[in-house]
């Protein structure tokens, strides 16, 4: 985990690995809180988007092999009213949504995560605090809901080298400038691989 200072005192951008994201998931106090972590870290949802999701927003693609998750009102930097987007929904997360919906008896037209944006942020902070206690790594205390989205972007752009235009579409970024910061932070594994490929290890 790497911390990057921000303009605010004692506030950091946190660059996690997938292993650390999984440690965060294990610290979740409930299935709901784990699902919040997954929606941020594996689907790239913003904290204000998570409460908008109903089970009816899970859509199987025409080929039957993939899923999308309709976000009714994503971030809209053009006019601020919110615009729909359809992030890619990994099968594991889709399955977890389905299990959670059934376990909690949530109707198709009811919120999957019945929290406000503030409640989502608080759930992430509580989970991060628990992760710090369970792992002994105090860096977890700095994790915010946006850091989950940061992990999502970095996984796609840096770890997996997905086409930036695809990342922009599924993540709801409107410009290359918006995703550029995620390109500048290779994980330790990516650094190691680069040196190995160059025979400099």
């Amino acid at each position: 985990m790497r911390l990057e200072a921000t303009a605010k005192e004692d506030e950091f951008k946190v660059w996690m690995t997938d292993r650390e994201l999984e440690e965060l998931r294990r610290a979740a106090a409930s299935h709901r809180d784990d699902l919040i972590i997954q929606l941020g870290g594996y689907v790239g949802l913003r904290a204000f988007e998570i409460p908008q999701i109903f089970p009816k927003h899970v859509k199987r693609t025409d080929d039957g092999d993939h899923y999308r998750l309709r976000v009714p009102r994503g971030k809209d930097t053009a006019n601020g009213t919110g615009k729909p987007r359809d992030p890619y929904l990994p099968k594991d997360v889709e399955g977890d949504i389905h299990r959670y919906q059934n376990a909690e008896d949530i109707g198709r037209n009811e919120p999957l995560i019945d929290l406000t944006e503030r409640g989502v942020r608080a759930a992430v902070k509580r989970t991060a605090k628990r992760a710090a206690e369970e792992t002994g790594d105090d860096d977890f205390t700095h994790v915010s809901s946006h850091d989950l989205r940061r992990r999502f972007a970095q996984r796609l752009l840096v770890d997996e080298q997905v086409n930036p235009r695809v990342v922009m579409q599924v993540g709801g970024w409107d410009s290359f400038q918006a995703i550029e910061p995620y390109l500048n932070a290779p994980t330790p594994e990516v650094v190691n691989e680069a040196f190995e490929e160059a025979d400099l290890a």
Side-chain angles (χ1 to χ4, degrees):
M1 190 175 316
R2 183 169 64 83
L3 302 183
E4 180 182 331
T6 66
K8 295 181 182 177
E9 188 177 337
D10 201 38
E11 190 172 299
F12 298 88
K13 293 179 181 178
V14 180
W15 299 88
M16 288 186 287
T17 64
D18 277 343
R19 181 185 56 77
E20 290 159 340
L21 184 62
E22 287 302 310
E23 288 177 343
L24 187 64
R25 286 188 61 197
R26 283 192 291 276
S30 66
H31 193 171
R32 181 201 69 190
D33 291 355
D34 175 46
L35 201 51
I36 289 171
I37 301 298
Q38 291 183 69
L39 289 170
Y42 292 109
V43 186
L45 297 192
R46 298 172 175 96
F48 80 89
E49 294 172 332
I50 291 173
Q52 298 178 35
I53 303 303
F54 295 3
K56 70 178 182 180
H57 293 131
V58 174
K59 304 289 183 191
R60 188 185 294 259
T61 58
D62 291 341
D63 65 11
D65 293 331
H66 302 275
Y67 295 92
R68 300 292 187 274
L69 184 63
R70 170 54 59 111
V71 175
R73 292 176 313 283
K75 186 174 181 180
D76 183 0
T77 54
N79 60 30
T81 59
K83 60 182 177 184
R85 68 183 183 94
D86 296 298
Y88 188 87
L89 181 62
K91 288 180 183 177
D92 288 348
V93 183
E94 186 278 333
D96 233 12
I97 287 173
H98 187 71
R99 283 186 290 279
Y100 179 71
Q101 177 191 359
N102 287 339
E104 299 296 322
D105 195 27
I106 299 170
R108 282 185 44 78
N109 296 305
E110 296 176 340
L112 186 66
I113 305 294
D114 196 13
L115 293 173
T116 63
E117 175 183 352
R118 177 180 275 178
V120 168
R121 292 181 190 280
V124 172
K125 289 308 274 183
R126 278 193 310 273
T127 304
K129 184 178 178 186
R130 286 173 54 99
E133 292 167 357
E134 291 177 9
T135 64
D137 185 347
D138 287 342
D139 287 351
F140 274 109
T141 61
H142 298 290
V143 171
S144 71
S145 57
H146 189 74
D147 296 317
L148 303 177
R149 187 166 157 79
R150 182 173 289 111
R151 170 81 290 254
F152 166 79
Q154 189 184 36
R155 177 187 311 105
L156 296 180
L157 291 167
V158 178
D159 300 354
E160 304 300 334
Q161 299 181 357
V162 172
N163 181 323
R165 289 189 184 279
V166 171
V167 178
M168 287 168 59
Q169 180 178 337
V170 299
W173 286 283
D174 288 334
S175 68
F176 285 110
Q177 290 81 9
I179 63 169
E180 191 272 335
Y182 304 108
L183 291 168
N184 290 337
T187 63
E189 292 81 9
V190 170
V191 171
N192 293 346
E193 287 174 15
F195 274 81
E196 287 170 3
E197 288 175 11
D199 286 329
L200 298 172

